[in-house]
Amino acid sequence: MESVLRAASALLGTTVSAPADLGGSARSTVLRCATGDGGSVIVKAYKEEPEALRCFTAEAAGLALGAGSGPRLLAVDTAFPLLVMEDLGTAPTLADVLLGDSADAARAALLAWAGAYGRLAAETIGREDELAALRSRHDRGNQRWEADPWPAEAVAGLPEALGVIAPDGLEAETASILRLPDYPVYSPGDICPDNNLLFGDRVRLLDFEGANYHSVFIDAVYTRMPFSSCWCVFRLPREVQAEVESAYRAEVAKGHPELLDDDVWREGMRLGMVAWTLDATSALVRRVLTEDRMLHRTRRPVPTIRQLLRYRWESLLPEVPDMPATAELMRRLLAATEKWDVPSMPSYPAFGG
């Protein structure tokens, strides 16, 4: 802790003290600290291990590229490694509002969230070389930034632990998710509800550890599933979901006008849902073979992992009528887990769940 404070003080040229631990992760320590001029800053220090260093480089570069969308980047110490950021203060997150009791507030927050990411994506189209240069500035020399292998890993990791046999033709069908329509957009990476602070109708984004360019549909499908990789998952009213998806699409299409083509959008969203559903299946099934678990260790209300998995499989079925092997896999997974006997996914509390 003392070394973190000394490094931050040297960077800013003023005393940094009175650290309050904001939680961080296995990769980092995040502190709210007082400064010598009476203000406060956020100090984020990363561990000296490959994944943490990769996250440090991505976040330093991502905050710089997406300036204004997240906290202002005040200083970087690549050798430590450490970031000093603007303290945005306290504000409710999108997760807080969705788990609250106001449908109007939740709808407004969702639309603000979708608009914020759509605008950021549109405004940063074509700046891949700039992000690469920012990475180089803060790269310790041991990161690799090749194309994200995630969709391939999602397919390769499909579990057999439930005794479900893959239908004939599945491999050929799921290969299509490796060809997600390109339309690259910049994203902070983890766009889940708890990484978004709400200030009236403005959203400030947190967590740029996964900042990168990838297919627009990896992010866009968060508006439909909803929140593809997150713990804060319940059902959205159909009309609200449609509004949120339209809000994101309208903004991002300002940079990629081709996304206004319904055929392009429909195919990309469908493949995005397949990719994220297979990813959840690969990542989560083995964790709940013997007993169910909550999706978050401390937050409540929250669904269980078994609830989430069955919800994902049920939701994908109507989206893949012309992918018979994928649809059959979903049916087999649902049949194999009927014994789980979990409730259907309720609506978000804000919408009466």
Side-chain angles (χ1 to χ4, degrees):
M1 185 72 73
E2 289 302 318
S3 63
V4 170
L5 296 179
R6 284 197 300 271
S9 297
L11 278 176
L12 294 180
T14 186
T15 302
V16 174
S17 61
D21 191 347
L22 299 184
S25 69
R27 298 179 297 273
S28 64
T29 299
V30 183
L31 307 170
R32 173 175 281 122
C33 300
T35 57
D37 60 2
S40 64
V41 293
I42 302 298
V43 178
K44 188 169 183 178
Y46 300 76
K47 292 185 178 180
E48 291 275 356
E49 53 91 10
E51 183 59 22
L53 291 173
R54 179 183 175 89
C55 291
F56 159 76
T57 301
E59 190 145 34
L63 283 168
L65 186 75
S69 58
R72 186 162 50 97
L73 185 61
L74 302 177
V76 182
D77 184 339
T78 302
F80 193 90
L82 175 149
L83 303 179
V84 182
M85 297 172 280
E86 171 190 14
D87 183 2
L88 295 177
T90 58
T93 67
L94 177 57
D96 295 330
V97 175
L98 288 170
L99 300 181
D101 57 9
S102 171
D104 289 342
R107 176 182 170 276
L110 283 164
L111 292 172
W113 167 85
Y117 284 100
R119 282 190 297 277
L120 176 61
E123 291 167 359
T124 50
I125 285 171
R127 295 173 63 185
E128 289 92 336
D129 288 347
E130 186 178 343
L131 181 64
L134 288 165
R135 282 174 173 164
S136 296
R137 184 182 305 172
H138 304 298
D139 195 327
R140 294 275 292 272
N142 57 354
Q143 285 89 13
R144 299 174 60 191
W145 303 101
E146 69 276 6
D148 189 350
W150 160 75
E153 292 173 351
V155 175
L158 282 174
E160 300 175 356
L162 290 169
V164 172
I165 299 173
D168 292 340
L170 180 66
E171 185 175 351
E173 284 184 6
T174 54
S176 63
I177 71 170
L178 308 182
R179 300 188 298 272
L180 272 171
D182 204 12
Y183 307 113
V185 296
Y186 167 74
S187 170
D190 185 348
I191 67 172
C192 293
D194 50 337
N195 284 329
N196 299 273
L197 295 178
L198 304 174
F199 296 91
D201 60 357
R202 188 180 183 195
V203 180
R204 299 294 293 274
L205 319 182
L206 304 176
D207 191 351
F208 285 66
E209 289 185 0
N212 204 349
Y213 277 84
H214 54 218
S215 167
V216 63
F217 295 107
I218 289 177
D219 280 8
V221 79
Y222 272 66
T223 67
R224 184 177 292 185
M225 294 183 73
F227 307 121
S228 312
S229 65
C230 312
W231 60 264
C232 188
V233 176
F234 294 90
R235 291 183 190 271
L236 278 175
R238 189 179 299 275
E239 65 278 8
V240 174
Q241 182 279 314
E243 278 190 282
V244 174
E245 182 175 329
S246 294
Y248 178 86
R249 183 183 181 186
E251 291 293 342
V252 76
K254 294 174 183 177
H256 283 306
E258 303 91 335
L259 298 176
L260 294 175
D261 184 316
D262 287 343
D263 289 337
V264 170
W265 187 259
R266 189 180 303 112
E267 177 66 3
M269 292 294 278
R270 181 185 68 153
L271 293 178
M273 283 191 72
V274 172
W276 277 117
T277 299
L278 295 180
D279 178 74
T281 304
S282 300
L284 298 176
V285 160
R286 290 188 180 88
R287 294 176 57 186
V288 291
L289 285 176
T290 57
E291 62 178 347
D292 206 358
R293 300 184 186 185
M294 308 303 285
L295 268 169
H296 195 283
R297 187 170 56 86
T298 59
R299 290 297 298 262
R300 299 293 183 273
V302 68
T304 72
I305 293 176
R306 288 181 175 181
Q307 271 183 297
L308 174 74
L309 285 168
R310 287 185 58 85
Y311 174 53
R312 294 299 190 218
W313 300 333
E314 290 167 352
S315 299
L316 185 60
L317 263 175
E319 301 285 340
V320 289
D322 56 347
M323 298 178 72
T326 303
E328 178 60 21
L329 175 63
M330 298 301 107
R331 285 190 286 268
R332 292 181 185 184
L333 288 166
L334 287 165
T337 57
E338 280 183 346
K339 61 188 177 185
W340 284 356
D341 194 27
V342 293
S344 296
M345 185 69 75
S347 297
Y348 280 96
F351 296 103

